[in-house]
Amino acid sequence: MRLLLTNIKELVQVEDNPVLFKAGAEMSRVDTIRDAFLLIYEDKIEDFGSMDRLFEVPDEDVLVEIDCSNRLVYPAFCDSHSHLVYPAPREKEFVDRIKGLSYEEIARRGGGILNSAKRLHETAEDDLYNDAMDRISEIIKMGTGAVEIKSGYGLNTEDELKMLRVIRRIKETAPLCVKATFLGAHAIPQEYKNNPAEYADVVINEMIPQVAAEELADYIDVFCDRGFFSVEDTERILMAGMKYGLQAKIHANELGFTGGIQAGVKYNALSVDHLEFVGDEEIKALKDSETMPTVLPGAAFFLNMPYSPVRKMIEAGLPVALASDYNPGSSPSGNMSFISSMGCIKYNMIPEEVINATTINTAYAMGISDKYGSIARGKIANLFITGTMPGIEYLPYSYGTNLVETVILNGEIQSL
Ligand code: NIG
Ligand code: FE
């Protein structure tokens, strides 16, 4: 069936010659068409252009027409970093932090990720799935059309596989595009506290082969940071993953200058994420690599951490992606419009840069930018229609407001 969107006030992020990501000065470029139409055939974008060209569309084929007067149409957000399968929120730790404990202190006391792992062990697979699907519906309402989801609250073979099976079920049943990342090396379990290398051996020898045998993951991740996994163990884990065809997407430089970014680049990671601590050395390592630097504004905001030097990165010619990090400990929100506002307010990005950072660049960081992340002929029709609004600046400006009115995924209008 065909779906025709007409009278679009501004069709945003259109590409005639699609690129896989945008870097440096190119990030400030977003092509748009004012007074546009968009034609969708089955699950793909078939055509788009100015309303003057609409006579070229044979109208006997059009089954549904949506009038988008005064409304903008965007490619759906791609959220390339989330932990949205989790057993319970951690609002008590939020209060502990208000009272003065740090995220790292909470982790050292067995709270944080270890707290979630304990709860996950006790939670039935069906409950994990149902709660995660509620979060999926919530992010779809806010315009997300593709999401990466990590394991990492299992921290033993059985529970990591349980999480990944939940993610697989989400992949099979949710209308948005899902990528699964195996994050067995998310935290060091209590019993390995004094010997993290031994836990890394379990990840390498036990978990990775089983994850690969059941084809449960697209990517592999390690939390390479101070108090978590060393560069040496990270490299061993990434190498083991690569043997099974799992490309890396790693957590790096959230808590210090730990060498995580360099390790990611060395193993050709698809992305390195967090990046609160980035200096000249890190920028040099990222330059001319194929690794997408991914900043997670929600975590920096929620944990009161330093904000990544995004301007410096873009001015050095790097691409930058912005993702939500939706998780119970450091960023309990998957609201990509809010992430867009943060991009402008806290990182001094212009609205065009933010659009690239939350669509095509995050699509690249999930390995899907050939099919998602922009309005291009042949790409999957995942997009949203806003409410009445004046122009692209208005979305990040209106922080905290959900301007997404209609969501179309795989060419189908979603009931929100
Ligand atoms: O991306 N930094 C490590 N992992 C997550 C936090 C997970 C949690 O606290 O539950 C993050 O911020
Ligand atoms: Fe994360």
Side-chain angles (χ1 to χ4, degrees):
M1 92 154 196
R2 279 190 170 80
L3 192 61
L4 177 65
L5 276 54
T6 53
N7 302 314
I8 303 166
K9 181 175 174 133
E10 196 165 357
L11 179 60
V12 182
Q13 183 70 318
V14 295
E15 289 188 302
D16 284 323
N17 300 302
V19 295
L20 291 179
F21 63 89
K22 297 231 187 102
E26 274 297 300
M27 279 194 70
S28 59
R29 177 164 172 189
V30 170
D31 288 336
T32 71
I33 303 175
R34 283 169 210 265
D35 196 20
F37 77 89
L38 175 71
L39 185 63
I40 295 167
Y41 178 54
E42 292 181 341
D43 62 343
K44 296 199 179 59
I45 295 168
E46 186 174 44
D47 200 6
F48 56 84
S50 151
M51 280 299 282
D52 316 341
R53 258 195 59 211
L54 191 55
F55 66 90
E56 292 171 24
V57 176
D59 57 26
E60 68 274 15
D61 285 346
V62 175
L63 291 185
V64 180
E65 186 175 328
I66 306 176
D67 178 10
C68 300
S69 294
N70 300 316
R71 287 159 168 76
L72 274 65
V73 173
Y74 287 74
F77 292 120
C78 296
D79 186 354
S80 61
H81 184 135
S82 92
H83 308 248
L84 67 71
V85 172
Y86 58 82
R90 302 211 305 263
E91 72 286 354
K92 296 255 177 338
E93 293 176 7
F94 171 62
V95 178
D96 289 341
R97 282 196 303 101
I98 295 168
K99 291 183 177 162
L101 283 184
S102 73
Y103 182 74
E104 284 173 279
E105 275 160 349
I106 292 169
R108 275 199 296 276
R109 293 175 179 205
I113 297 166
L114 296 184
N115 172 1
S116 286
K118 186 165 166 286
R119 297 288 298 268
L120 184 123
H121 182 71
E122 297 154 359
T123 308
E125 231 169 279
D126 277 349
D127 293 337
L128 286 171
Y129 169 78
N130 290 329
D131 287 354
M133 285 302 277
D134 287 345
R135 294 177 200 123
I136 291 279
S137 307
E138 180 203 9
I139 62 171
I140 289 174
K141 284 192 184 85
M142 295 187 288
T144 297
V147 66
E148 179 257 18
I149 312 174
K150 298 172 195 295
S151 69
Y153 295 125
L155 305 183
N156 62 56
T157 306
E158 187 195 330
D159 291 334
E160 281 296 312
L161 294 174
K162 171 170 148 184
M163 272 195 90
L164 287 167
R165 288 189 195 116
V166 170
I167 300 172
R168 176 161 68 192
R169 203 164 143 202
I170 298 170
K171 216 187 230 198
E172 288 165 357
T173 53
L176 79 184
C177 170
V178 174
K179 289 285 173 187
T181 300
F182 165 60
L183 175 55
H186 194 194
I188 296 148
Q190 254 348 324
E191 59 273 36
Y192 294 95
K193 209 167 123 199
N194 299 319
N195 199 351
E198 207 179 303
Y199 179 65
D201 290 339
V202 175
V203 172
I204 292 167
N205 300 321
E206 234 182 271
M207 297 188 192
I208 294 176
Q210 292 199 48
V211 169
E214 287 191 44
E215 296 183 20
L216 286 169
D218 301 295
Y219 302 112
I220 185 164
D221 194 343
V222 177
F223 187 9
C224 176
D225 228 316
R226 196 172 66 198
F228 289 83
F229 290 85
S230 66
V231 166
E232 195 190 334
D233 285 337
T234 300
E235 293 196 352
R236 290 199 301 130
I237 294 168
L238 297 190
M239 238 184 309
M242 279 168 78
K243 271 201 216 132
Y244 288 91
L246 296 173
Q247 197 177 358
K249 281 174 64 63
I250 71 167
H251 284 73
N253 295 49
E254 174 183 3
L255 306 172
F257 288 98
T258 49
I261 292 177
Q262 288 86 335
V265 169
K266 182 167 162 197
Y267 288 91
N268 196 31
L270 188 53
S271 70
V272 287
D273 302 26
H274 270 296
L275 316 187
E276 277 73 15
F277 292 85
V278 172
D280 293 340
E281 285 298 305
E282 286 71 21
I283 290 180
K284 197 165 139 228
L286 285 161
K287 197 86 177 87
D288 301 323
S289 77
E290 290 175 2
T291 301
M292 177 61 67
T294 302
V295 171
L296 308 172
F301 168 67
F302 194 72
L303 298 183
N304 279 316
M305 287 186 302
Y307 290 103
S308 299
V310 165
R311 278 262 58 90
K312 197 171 161 184
M313 288 156 69
I314 294 177
E315 266 136 42
L318 293 180
V320 170
L322 297 177
S324 78
D325 198 17
Y326 194 176
N327 78 74
S330 69
S331 185
S333 164
N335 184 340
M336 289 294 283
S337 290
F338 181 64
I339 295 300
S340 303
S341 300
M342 293 273 296
C344 294
I345 300 161
K346 292 294 179 189
Y347 298 84
N348 265 319
M349 298 168 81
I350 61 169
E352 288 84 352
E353 289 171 328
V354 158
I355 291 170
N356 283 314
T358 52
T359 58
I360 195 67
N361 284 2
T362 33
Y364 177 90
M366 299 174 67
I368 58 170
S369 61
D370 56 337
K371 294 199 183 72
Y372 297 86
S374 68
I375 304 289
R377 292 173 190 86
K379 280 199 175 182
I380 301 293
N382 276 19
L383 46 104
F384 64 81
I385 308 170
T386 67
T388 306
M389 62 180 239
I392 60 164
E393 303 79 10
Y394 193 73
L395 193 143
Y397 160 83
S398 308
Y399 82 92
T401 304
N402 184 16
L403 294 166
V404 175
E405 198 175 75
T406 306
V407 176
I408 296 175
L409 297 178
N410 307 306
E412 286 179 16
I413 302 168
Q414 303 297 300
S415 55
L416 300 179

